[in-house]
Amino acid sequence: MGTLKPYLISTNAREQADFYLNSLGGKIVSLTTHEEAMGTQSELKDKVMHMCLNLAGDNYIFMADAIEPSSPGTDIYLSIDYNNIAEASEAFRKLAEGGKVNYPFELQPFGIYLGEVRDKYGVQWMITSETKTDAT
């Protein structure tokens, strides 16, 4: 049985990681630069070769700095389901700062709260919460 671990390539992995930690809560589990891993002494030496983030509970994503020019894809979404509507709403609001709301976070006809946002780094997020799990 495998475990899915999303891996984001970024133009500034440290900055993007800080944004996600502020928006979703969590911590940096590990961070390795090209210099630390490979002894690289070029312009790549301070670039992130591998970073592991623990986000929004028990979720993990990996990140690295792009070595070649890249543009984030728009056909992939990262989805987080919260047990608390207020928590989900707050995460959605923070991810939307500087980004673009595709669909506002609100109660949907099929019975859950759902919002879709493209963050300021171009990553698409789906934030959900079921109404029956909220204590309010």
Side-chain angles (χ1 to χ4, degrees):
M1 188 60 77
T3 301
L4 178 65
K5 295 182 180 177
Y7 210 113
L8 303 178
I9 304 302
S10 175
T11 56
N12 188 332
R14 287 181 177 97
E15 178 184 288
Q16 193 170 347
D18 286 343
F19 175 72
Y20 294 145
L21 294 172
N22 181 50
S23 297
L24 303 169
K27 65 181 179 179
I28 296 174
V29 176
S30 65
L31 188 155
T32 305
T33 65
H34 284 266
E35 180 179 34
E36 292 167 335
M38 313 273 288
T40 303
Q41 293 299 311
S42 67
E43 69 277 357
L44 297 177
K45 71 177 190 157
D46 294 325
K47 293 232 179 226
V48 174
M49 182 176 193
H50 180 78
M51 182 182 345
C52 177
L53 300 177
N54 170 243
L55 298 173
D58 196 24
N59 302 289
Y60 293 87
I61 65 171
F62 296 143
M63 296 184 72
D65 283 321
I67 294 175
E68 297 178 6
S70 68
S71 59
T74 57
D75 56 351
I76 295 174
Y77 283 76
L78 299 179
S79 178
I80 300 178
D81 184 39
Y82 286 86
N83 291 328
N84 179 289
I85 294 169
E87 228 181 340
S89 180
E90 177 74 2
F92 183 85
R93 182 187 63 74
K94 288 180 175 180
L95 286 169
E97 291 174 4
K100 178 184 179 287
V101 173
N102 299 331
Y103 300 103
F105 182 76
E106 58 191 21
L107 184 60
Q108 301 298 315
F110 43 88
I112 66 168
Y113 279 81
L114 167 74
E116 294 182 10
V117 61
R118 180 190 328 236
D119 70 29
K120 63 185 178 182
Y121 299 99
V123 175
Q124 304 268 37
W125 293 87
M126 292 174 56
I127 304 297
T128 61
S129 182
E130 293 188 36
T131 57
K132 65 183 177 186
T133 58
D134 195 353
T136 59

